[in-house]
Amino acid sequence: MKKPSEEIVRFLQNQGFVVVSTIDKKGYPHNSCKGILEIDKEGRVYLLDLYRGNTYANLKRDPRISITAVDEHKFKGYCLKGKAEIVAGENLDSEMIKAWETRLTARITQRLLKNLREEKGHPRHPEALLPKPEYMIVMKVDEVINLAPSI
């Protein structure tokens, strides 16, 4: 397992979401957006999934996963590759649920503030309608790729 540097951990934690890629049953990439819940001291990445859909089915069949995040403004990004473990919803620890609720509250607050400033965005607050997480993805990172071009 490869531990991402502190700089990469901070970068990932500051993203609103990351793109999670898995392999579907035909061998093609499947991408979905997920929020990072936590990255522990050993470098494991924790993501909560709200639906038991394609990502879940793909990881049950093939645990290979990648997480990609970019900041277009800073011209910076990273891709983490590794293997995923699935933790069933009923086995989620209360600290993880609390961390998810804290992140969700922060997202709703940011959307409200932007709406008050009359910035363009979604007219409703879709985060408030999200269901409770179905399961958690725990990723063990094997490789970290810096996506920034060498200029």
Side-chain angles (χ1 to χ4, degrees), residues 99-112 127:
W100 176 74
E101 290 170 348
T102 299
R103 279 191 163 262
L104 189 60
T105 301
R107 285 183 64 106
I108 292 169
T109 301
Q110 284 180 353
R111 187 177 298 279
L112 282 168
E127 293 90 349

Side-chain angles (χ1 to χ4, degrees), residues 31-114:
N31 302 307
S32 61
C33 297
K34 311 238 179 274
I36 290 180
L37 186 59
E38 184 179 316
I39 301 174
D40 70 16
K41 291 177 184 173
E42 286 77 40
R44 284 185 294 266
V45 180
Y46 296 83
L47 306 120
L48 285 178
D49 200 345
L50 307 180
Y51 308 99
R52 216 171 264 211
N54 292 330
T55 301
Y56 179 82
N58 292 343
L59 290 175
K60 285 296 238 180
R61 197 174 33 262
D62 184 339
R64 290 179 293 170
I65 185 172
S66 72
I67 294 173
T68 304
V70 296
D71 182 326
E72 181 181 9
H73 183 68
K74 293 180 181 174
F75 219 61
K76 187 176 188 176
Y78 299 96
C79 177
L80 280 57
K81 296 181 181 184
K83 297 259 172 40
E85 216 179 283
I86 292 175
V87 177
E90 59 272 9
N91 296 332
L92 293 178
D93 131 326
S94 62
E95 289 300 314
M96 290 295 181
I97 296 296
K98 184 175 174 158
W100 176 74
E101 290 170 348
T102 299
R103 279 191 163 262
L104 189 60
T105 301
R107 285 183 64 106
I108 292 169
T109 301
Q110 284 180 353
R111 187 177 298 279
L112 282 168
L113 291 172
K114 284 182 178 182

